[in-house]
Structures are given as C-alpha cells and as structure tokens.
Amino acid sequence: MNIIEVPAKEAERLVPMLQDLHALHVTHQPERHIPAPGSDGLAKWLQDWLSGEDVFALAAESPQGTLLGYLIYELQERPALPVRPAEIRAMLHHISVTEAWRRMGVGKALVEAMQARALNAGATVIAATYAPFNTASAALMKGMGMEPVLTMVEWRA
C-alpha cells in the first residue's frame, strides 16, 4: 500500500468511498443529510474543495492502483486571541476506508501520513470531528493519541 496525494483533477476517484461514508451518515442522521447525492455533483464539489490552497486529499493505494481509503484535511492558520495562542491546525475533515480493508491499518496509515505532512508544514494541532455514532472513527482518533475536547450540539428546524 502506498499513500498518495490525490490532486483536485482526480477527485472523482474518491466518490465511491465518499458515497459509502455519506450513506452511513444518512442512515444515522437522516435529518442532516441529503440521501444519495449524484456522483457528478459529488465529483464537482470535491474537485472545487480540493482546489483550495490549503486543502489536501491523501489516499491509500494498492499496488494495482485501487484506492483502499482516503482522507481530506485542511491546514488552518488561526491567529492569536486573548484567550489562546496563534496556531496552525490540521483539520481532518473526512476519512473513509473501503469495507474490505477496514481494521487492517489503512486508516492509521492515512492519519500518520497526514500528521507527518501537517507537522512538516508547521502545524501544531491535529484536530478532527466525528459523529457520535461513528465508533470506528472514535477508536481511530483515540488510537492516534487524539482526545475529545469539545462537544457540539445542535437544533434543527
């Protein structure tokens, strides 16, 4: 398995895994998500998002060129505030591993690669969010040394 960067122009390669990730969220939180968005719309959205200067997609690729998993992260420069110092935060937005490759170290390899790249870019914080039902993400983040620091709640009309 190789960890590669997926350029914006190849964003469509991520769509099947994004659809799997999205379906999980639709199952558990249907009020928050649009069911079964189209592949073309997802590919365009990912391409636009990954075109951002500080947004990156990494993927685990088999020797045959099949993607086993991906993650998307963003480097965020956060200025100093009276209540906290300035920081560069690497925000992990998405992580998805194909079902056949789960629990085989793909997610860990992706997060380790992201951490190395982010630290090399000057990041001092690695952060992620995950839904409360997503015990796999919770376990991965804990295994990578990340601990919960906030709880987000919401109300929807």
Side-chain angles (χ1 to χ4, degrees), residues 4-48:
I4 62 167
E5 187 167 341
V6 179
K9 66 184 179 189
E10 295 179 22
E12 71 279 351
R13 294 183 73 193
L14 306 178
V15 169
M17 288 178 288
L18 173 57
Q19 288 172 317
D20 286 346
L21 177 63
H22 184 71
L24 175 69
H25 286 261
V26 169
T27 296
H28 289 277
Q29 298 174 329
E31 70 284 356
R32 295 190 80 225
H33 302 284
I34 296 170
S39 296
D40 291 342
L42 289 174
K44 173 76 170 100
W45 171 64
L46 282 173
Q47 186 172 26
D48 290 348

Side-chain angles (χ1 to χ4, degrees), residues 4 13 33 48 55 96 106 129 131 144 147 156:
I4 62 167
R13 294 183 73 193
H33 302 284
D48 290 348
V55 179
S96 181
V106 174
T129 61
M144 299 304 297
E147 294 292 335
R156 289 189 175 261

Side-chain angles (χ1 to χ4, degrees):
M1 160 179 67
N2 294 318
I3 304 298
I4 62 167
E5 187 167 341
V6 179
K9 66 184 179 189
E10 295 179 22
E12 71 279 351
R13 294 183 73 193
L14 306 178
V15 169
M17 288 178 288
L18 173 57
Q19 288 172 317
D20 286 346
L21 177 63
H22 184 71
L24 175 69
H25 286 261
V26 169
T27 296
H28 289 277
Q29 298 174 329
E31 70 284 356
R32 295 190 80 225
H33 302 284
I34 296 170
S39 296
D40 291 342
L42 289 174
K44 173 76 170 100
W45 171 64
L46 282 173
Q47 186 172 26
D48 290 348
W49 190 21
L50 295 176
S51 294
E53 185 176 323
D54 294 320
V55 179
F56 307 93
L58 301 180
E61 186 178 54
S62 75
Q64 295 78 26
T66 302
L67 296 188
L68 312 174
Y70 82 95
L71 66 72
I72 296 174
Y73 74 99
E74 178 181 10
L75 292 174
Q76 301 170 335
E77 288 193 41
R78 295 167 42 110
L81 300 174
V83 294
R84 68 159 172 76
E87 64 187 24
I88 298 175
R89 176 171 66 181
M91 185 67 191
L92 173 55
H93 291 293
H94 284 195
I95 185 164
S96 181
V97 175
T98 59
E99 189 171 355
W101 287 91
R102 291 178 188 153
R103 302 184 62 93
M104 298 179 113
V106 174
K108 181 179 180 189
L110 286 164
V111 174
E112 286 174 342
M114 181 205 77
Q115 285 179 322
R117 289 172 181 239
L119 293 173
N120 191 51
T124 55
V125 176
I126 308 290
T129 61
Y130 54 85
F133 62 81
N134 197 334
T135 57
S137 284
L140 175 60
M141 299 313 150
K142 185 168 182 67
M144 299 304 297
M146 300 167 76
E147 294 292 335
V149 296
L150 298 171
T151 300
M152 182 181 127
V153 297
E154 71 181 13
W155 175 90
R156 289 189 175 261

